Every structure is written in C-alpha cells, then in structure tokens.
Amino acid sequence: MIFGKIEYLNLLPFHLFLKRALRHGIEKKAWQKRGSVPSRINRAFEARRVDAAVISSIKSRGRECTDFGIVADGEVMSVLVLPGKSRRDTDSDTSNALASLLGIEGEVMIGDKALRYRLANPGEGIDLAEAWKERTGLPFVFARLCAHSRHIRRLRRLTQRFFTSPPKIPYRILRREAKARGLNAAELRNYLNKIYYRLGWREKRALKRFLRNERRGRRKR
C-alpha cells in the first residue's frame, strides 16, 4: 500500500505511527518519497498514484474513508484568512472552500507558513476553524484518511491501532521538527494540542453540514 504524505506538522503524530506500522521497506520508502501539500496529494489520490492518503475533506465526498481525520474544535492557528486582496492558497482545497462558504474575504493561508505567521502576528487575520465554530457550534474536519477499495480494510485496522495506542512524541523529535519549521518545541506542542484525529458523531455531523452547504453554495454561484 502506497501512502501519500502531507508534509505538515499537524500530522506529526500519525507520521511517527506510520513509520513504525508500515510493514514493508518498499512501503516506507514510497511513503517517505511522496510528501507534498494537500492539493497535490488530492490529485495523486484521484489519479491512483497513491493507494491511501489524508485527503482534503471536500475531496472525500463519495470516497471510502476511515474515522481518522484532521480536526479542530475552535482555534487551529494554521488555517487563516489575512486582510487584503482575496487570494486562494494553491496548497489548499478545503480551506479555500470554507472561506468562501463563510463569506470571509482576504488571502487564504494554510499549513506551517500560516502557523508561523500567526505566532509572529498574534490576533491578525481570521482563524477559519474558530470562525466555523462561532457560526455552527461544531468542530471542523479539514481532512480525512481515505483509501481505494482494496486497501480500506487494512487502513481501518491501522487507524484503530493508532487510536488505541497513539504515539508519544519524544522531545528530541519535537525539538527537531519545530526547529526545522522556525518554531520552538513549546509552540509546536501547543499547536498539536489544538488538533485531534478521531471522528465521532459531532465531527461527522459537522463534515456533513460543511459538504452540504458547500455544494449548495456552488449551485447558487
């Protein structure tokens, strides 16, 4: 099974888990080589160049997915709309759609660069997960772990193992990953505490609402 890998800090715990859980050297090598941004991973998954990936939630409609996702219940810090001319983030699919759905204009910025911006400019811009929570009272699901049909059973077993025994991030790895992104370990730990990965009934309700409203919005435009 070939995984597509999003090279963002929000998946650091899952990356550590996969590094240990993937059974074959060829799988690990392929996973390590396929790191990219969400929009490119979405295209690789759709083209079947990868068998499984954490894909943008807006692209998960009609796919076979697990209960693993990237979720924030309020402030997330890494998905922002900045003041100024409206501009989409080419790395994103879901966040661009969310900004449009919420009627928030400006420059969409996601991922590690958005996290660095928010830390350097506290309070500037709009946190889209926070805006969604204020509007709906629900968490927001940014992405889901999905697979093509013949791999979904194995993927569900893997994610259940992750939920049962989530890895602890050694401080040396936390510090190394933070330094590589221009952060410190405390900032990275605080950021990861804002994210969780299991989709329960509230998260699935929120996802359904987002997908339904986004589709309605596109039909009106």
Side-chain angles (χ1 to χ4, degrees):
M1 179 166 55
I2 298 175
F3 268 90
K5 180 183 180 184
I6 295 177
E7 294 281 12
Y8 283 165
L9 286 169
N10 55 19
L11 281 171
L12 179 58
F14 191 61
H15 290 167
L16 292 178
F17 168 78
L18 279 183
K19 191 173 182 179
R20 300 165 189 165
L22 292 178
R23 294 179 298 200
H24 307 296
I26 192 169
E27 289 184 330
K28 289 184 179 181
K29 187 175 181 180
W31 167 67
Q32 290 169 342
K33 288 177 65 175
R34 280 169 169 75
S36 191
V37 298
S39 58
R40 291 183 180 178
I41 293 297
N42 294 340
R43 292 195 293 271
F45 184 77
E46 290 172 353
R48 293 182 174 267
R49 294 195 298 272
V50 297
D51 301 313
V54 178
I55 64 173
S56 298
S57 60
I58 198 169
K59 297 295 185 179
S60 70
R61 186 187 280 116
R63 300 291 186 180
E64 293 191 69
C65 301
T66 68
D67 286 340
F68 179 100
I70 300 174
V71 189
D73 195 2
E75 182 187 48
V76 70
M77 298 179 69
S78 59
V79 183
L80 308 175
V81 176
L82 307 180
K85 184 178 179 180
S86 289
R87 182 180 302 170
R88 295 165 61 88
D89 189 323
T90 57
D91 292 349
S92 168
D93 284 316
T94 290
S95 300
N96 292 324
L98 178 58
S100 179
L101 177 62
L102 294 174
I104 299 173
E105 296 184 354
E107 179 185 355
V108 177
M109 181 183 290
I110 74 164
D112 298 348
K113 62 183 182 292
L115 176 59
R116 287 192 297 270
Y117 185 95
R118 173 49 66 95
L119 290 169
N121 303 276
E124 186 172 323
I126 297 172
D127 187 303
L128 285 179
E130 194 170 34
W132 169 265
K133 178 68 180 288
E134 290 173 357
R135 182 80 60 89
T136 67
L138 294 168
F140 191 78
V141 180
F142 286 98
R144 296 184 73 189
L145 179 58
C146 304
H148 299 300
S149 295
R150 70 190 185 95
H151 300 285
I152 193 64
R153 290 181 65 184
R154 181 183 171 199
L155 195 62
R156 285 176 176 149
R157 290 195 298 269
L158 276 175
T159 54
Q160 188 56 48
R161 284 171 56 193
F162 175 84
F163 293 141
T164 302
S165 301
K168 293 182 179 179
I169 304 174
Y171 182 75
R172 61 181 176 79
I173 293 178
L174 195 74
R175 186 173 58 184
R176 182 191 70 201
E177 294 296 325
K179 185 178 180 180
R181 269 59 167 213
L183 309 173
N184 62 50
E187 289 170 336
L188 177 50
R189 191 183 298 279
N190 178 60
Y191 170 58
L192 290 176
N193 285 338
K194 295 179 183 298
I195 295 166
Y196 62 102
Y197 304 101
R198 191 164 202 160
L199 274 65
W201 70 268
R202 287 182 72 245
E203 292 74 23
K204 291 176 182 178
R205 178 183 171 195
L207 177 62
K208 184 177 180 180
R209 181 168 177 172
F210 167 66
L211 293 176
R212 181 181 65 242
N213 291 348
E214 188 277 334
R215 175 174 280 174
R216 287 175 179 170
R218 278 191 291 112
R219 287 174 178 171
K220 290 179 181 178
R221 291 196 291 271

